[in-house]
Amino acid sequence: SLQVDPTVVSEDRRPWYARVEWSDRLIGQLELMPGIERAAITTQLPLTPEAASSTVARGRMKPSPQAPRWPAVLHHVTDGYFELMAVQPVAGRLFDATDRFTSDQINRYQPPDHGVVVITEQTARTLWPGQPAVGQALQLDRGGIWREVVGVVEDIQFYAVGETPVLHVFMPWTQDSAWFRPYLFVRTSGPPAPMIPSVREAVGAVKPRAEVNEVVRLADMVGFATAQPRFASRLVATFGLLALGLAAVGIYGTLSYLVNGRTREIG
C-alpha cells in the first residue's frame, strides 16, 4: 500500500529561487535515506477543504474581460510528485529538469516568455473538447506568462472520495515556488512511524529555522474522508440484514400455518 506522510514546513521571505534550492537539497537528502523511496513537495493537501484556486483561460494572449474563464485548483509541485502519488499520465510527459527556470528568471530579472503545465483529463475535456490538449496554451490569473500544456494526467479525487472531477492545473515548483505553504510528501518502503524522527532531522539540517508542524499518514486522511460513507453503508447493510431476517421469519410462519391447517388432508 502507498505510504505517504505530508508535513508542513515553515517559510521565510527570502527570494523565490532560495526555496527551489532548499527543496532540491531536502528532497535529495531524503531520497538518499534508507527506507524512503520518494519525496516531493506540493502546495496542495488532498482531502481537505483548503485549496488554492485560480481561473484558467485559453490562448497565449492575455484574455479579454469577455473571454471565457474556468475555475481550477492550482498546484505547484516538484518533479517526482506524480510518481509518488501514483498519478498516471495519459498523454504527453511529466515535469523534468528541462522545465527549471534560472535564478534570474524566477526572480524576474529576465522574465521567461512562457512556462509549462500539466493538466488533468477533466481540464482537457473542458477547455479543448474533442481536441488534443498537449501543445495547447493557457493563461492563469497569476504569473503573467502563458503556459504550454506538456502533459495530461488521469483525473484525481481531491476534495472528497467519489467526487465529480474538478479542473486541476499543475505548475512546476522550479518555475514558480509561490509563497504558498509547502507540504512535504514522503513515501516509505515500510511503516512510516520509525522514519518520522529522521525526516524531522533532515528538515532541520537543510534549513535550521524550518519546522515540521504536523505529520499525517495519507491512509489516515483517506480513512477520515470515507468514515461517513462507510458508516452509512454499514447502517444500510444492517437494516438490509434485519429486513431479510424478518422476511425469512414471516415466510416460515406463513408456511407453518398453511401446513398445520392441512395436516389432516395431507395425512
Side-chain angles (χ1 to χ4, degrees), residues 34-227:
I36 293 181
E37 297 179 347
R38 197 79 178 181
I41 289 175
T42 179
T43 55
Q44 300 287 7
L45 192 62
L47 302 176
T48 60
E50 299 179 2
S53 60
S54 180
T55 59
V56 182
R58 292 178 296 214
R60 300 188 179 191
M61 305 301 295
K62 184 177 180 179
S64 66
Q66 295 76 28
R69 304 189 74 99
W70 294 267
V73 180
L74 180 60
H75 308 250
H76 297 76
V77 301
T78 54
D79 295 350
Y81 173 81
F82 299 104
E83 293 86 348
L84 187 151
M85 295 295 288
V87 178
Q88 300 299 321
V90 297
R93 65 174 179 86
L94 303 177
F95 299 138
D96 56 34
T98 62
D99 299 317
R100 178 185 294 262
F101 284 169
T102 65
S103 176
D104 287 340
Q105 286 176 314
I106 207 166
N107 283 296
R108 300 300 188 261
Y109 300 131
Q110 298 175 0
D113 59 349
H114 76 281
V116 299
V117 291
V118 169
I119 61 177
T120 55
E121 293 178 283
Q122 182 63 29
T123 310
R125 288 191 296 265
T126 302
L127 270 64
W128 299 282
Q131 304 178 47
V134 176
Q136 301 281 5
L138 58 78
Q139 287 270 352
L140 300 169
D141 62 4
R142 63 174 306 277
I145 60 175
W146 68 274
R147 294 187 173 272
E148 178 186 356
V149 178
V150 297
V152 179
V153 297
E154 61 186 356
D155 287 323
I156 60 176
Q157 305 290 305
F158 184 75
Y159 290 109
V161 177
E163 69 178 1
T164 301
V166 299
L167 276 61
H168 294 269
V169 177
F170 298 88
M171 292 174 54
W173 172 270
T174 54
Q175 286 190 0
D176 187 357
S177 58
W179 294 106
F180 296 110
R181 175 187 294 177
Y183 294 93
L184 173 64
F185 280 44
V186 177
R187 185 176 68 196
T188 63
S189 57
M195 301 301 303
I196 294 175
S198 300
V199 172
R200 290 182 181 273
E201 183 179 348
V203 170
V206 172
K207 189 176 182 181
R209 292 169 55 190
E211 296 179 358
V212 178
N213 297 335
E214 185 179 7
V215 179
V216 183
R217 293 179 66 242
L218 185 59
D220 294 337
M221 297 177 65
V222 173
F224 179 78
T226 58

Side-chain angles (χ1 to χ4, degrees), residues 12-32:
D12 59 24
R13 305 304 297 177
R14 298 172 63 192
W16 286 356
Y17 201 71
R19 290 163 61 87
V20 175
E21 294 174 330
W22 162 76
S23 64
D24 288 343
R25 294 194 302 271
L26 178 59
I27 292 174
Q29 183 167 332
L30 289 173
E31 292 186 342
L32 289 176

